[in-house]
Amino acid sequence: MGTATDYVLEELRLFRAGFGLSQDDFGRGIGYSGSHVSSVETGCRPPTKEYMRAVDAHHETNGRFQRMLERLAQLDAEPAWLREWIEFEREATTLRWFELAYVPGLLQTDRYARATLAGGRFDVEDIDRIVASRLERQSILQRPRPPQLIAVLDEAVLRRPVLDQPGLMAEQCEHLAQLATAEHIQVHIVPADAGMYLGMGGQFIIAEMPDGERVAYADNQLTAQIVDASADIAKLAKTWEVVRNEALPRRQSIELIKEVAKSWTC
């Protein structure tokens, strides 16, 4: 992590030490485990808004650590929520990813990634930067010890056309089918005949960290939220199980993806 982040982590350590509290005792006070506190203080996982809010609330700091986190975001080129999530993504041992609208970013082609940013919201320079960052993040799937990626997609993701870009969806579906054959990548499709199901509420990702703890990500049109409160994680985990059970098995999913890819060439 950078110098500014190191400063914030040092302030957190000194703050805890000032009360004479162990990491376990400090964690109990703010609703986190001692191992979670240790991971934050050593830089193994970034402090989230929820974590800082819990510290401020329990110790009545008048928002001191939340302001530090906001200041970090101003110093970083990426939005705070994305910077936080990228750190978790890099360290995760397992990623459980549900998508209702798009192919997951880690599985996108360059052309598809650009299409998701079209519509006037971003200028050309921003699109180039965002796409480059997104594609660079995909390198975690090629490293010697990659995370296990389990992606569940709604069938509508495969069948949604990208206007005025012939061949794009065929290319993306073929790329997805190829990646899905890797041992560490599972792709499952929720078929259209599943009808209404719990996943319609929106996309989310659950990352399992090396220490066994979990953190989640959910976004909307304006921003994204990093979730690490145990009760909220438990709710998302239950939603994941329901959504996963609606999806086709791995082999049938790959066949469906290939079938849709062929339909885009007709």
Side-chain angles (χ1 to χ4, degrees):
M1 294 189 179
T3 303
T5 303
D6 291 340
Y7 168 76
V8 173
L9 299 186
E10 180 64 17
E11 286 298 303
L12 280 168
R13 288 190 291 268
L14 291 173
F15 183 75
R16 173 181 59 79
F19 288 100
L21 296 173
S22 68
Q23 291 175 334
D24 286 333
D25 290 337
F26 188 77
R28 273 192 291 272
I30 63 174
Y32 288 85
S33 67
S35 62
H36 190 120
V37 173
S38 176
S39 293
V40 170
E41 291 185 355
T42 57
C44 292
R45 62 192 302 164
T48 63
K49 290 180 180 178
E50 290 187 351
Y51 184 90
M52 295 303 218
R53 187 181 299 119
V55 173
D56 286 334
H58 182 72
H59 293 284
E60 300 180 346
T61 67
N62 195 30
R64 171 185 174 186
F65 288 103
Q66 291 177 80
R67 287 194 299 274
M68 286 187 180
L69 195 62
E70 290 170 1
R71 181 56 179 158
L72 271 182
Q74 295 171 6
L75 296 173
D76 202 295
E78 300 285 3
W81 56 265
L82 181 56
R83 175 180 54 78
E84 290 176 15
W85 180 253
I86 289 174
E87 292 285 348
F88 288 126
E89 195 175 71
R90 287 172 179 162
E91 297 295 326
T93 57
T94 303
L95 292 165
R96 294 178 173 84
W97 192 321
F98 171 67
E99 276 286 354
L100 189 64
Y102 298 109
V103 172
L106 294 182
L107 305 176
Q108 293 178 4
T109 64
D110 182 290
R111 290 179 66 200
Y112 186 92
R114 291 180 183 278
T116 67
L117 303 171
R121 182 179 176 187
F122 302 98
D123 58 31
V124 175
E125 291 77 13
D126 284 339
I127 290 176
D128 288 343
R129 176 180 55 79
I130 294 170
V131 170
S133 174
R134 190 176 299 176
L135 297 182
E136 192 278 330
R137 287 165 58 193
Q138 295 178 1
S139 64
I140 66 171
L141 297 177
Q142 279 76 53
R143 68 193 187 193
R145 298 179 65 182
Q148 183 74 26
L149 172 61
I150 307 169
V152 175
L153 285 66
D154 191 277
E155 183 178 346
V157 172
L158 307 178
R159 299 192 182 278
R160 183 170 294 109
V162 180
L163 302 180
D164 303 321
Q165 295 207 48
L168 187 154
M169 285 306 300
E171 174 188 276
Q172 175 61 72
C173 288
E174 290 168 358
H175 180 68
L176 185 62
Q178 180 180 8
L179 290 175
T181 62
E183 290 186 1
H184 62 290
I185 300 175
Q186 296 179 38
V187 178
H188 300 273
I189 307 299
V190 178
D193 61 13
M196 300 289 285
Y197 63 102
L198 192 58
M200 302 297 287
Q203 70 91 227
F204 61 89
I205 312 168
I206 302 174
E208 186 166 325
M209 309 307 291
D211 61 6
E213 294 200 33
R214 295 177 296 180
V215 63
Y217 164 102
D219 68 5
N220 55 47
Q221 286 283 340
L222 297 177
T223 186
Q225 180 182 9
I226 307 298
V227 180
D228 59 3
S230 57
D232 292 333
I233 292 290
K235 291 178 183 177
L236 283 176
K238 183 178 293 186
T239 299
W240 168 263
E241 291 301 325
V242 173
V243 170
R244 175 66 185 82
N245 287 334
E246 292 288 353
L248 297 172
R250 185 179 191 182
R251 190 172 302 174
Q252 287 180 244
S253 294
I254 293 176
E255 290 304 313
L256 177 57
I257 295 169
K258 291 179 178 178
E259 176 186 316
V260 175
K262 290 179 181 177
S263 74
W264 285 114
T265 62
C266 298

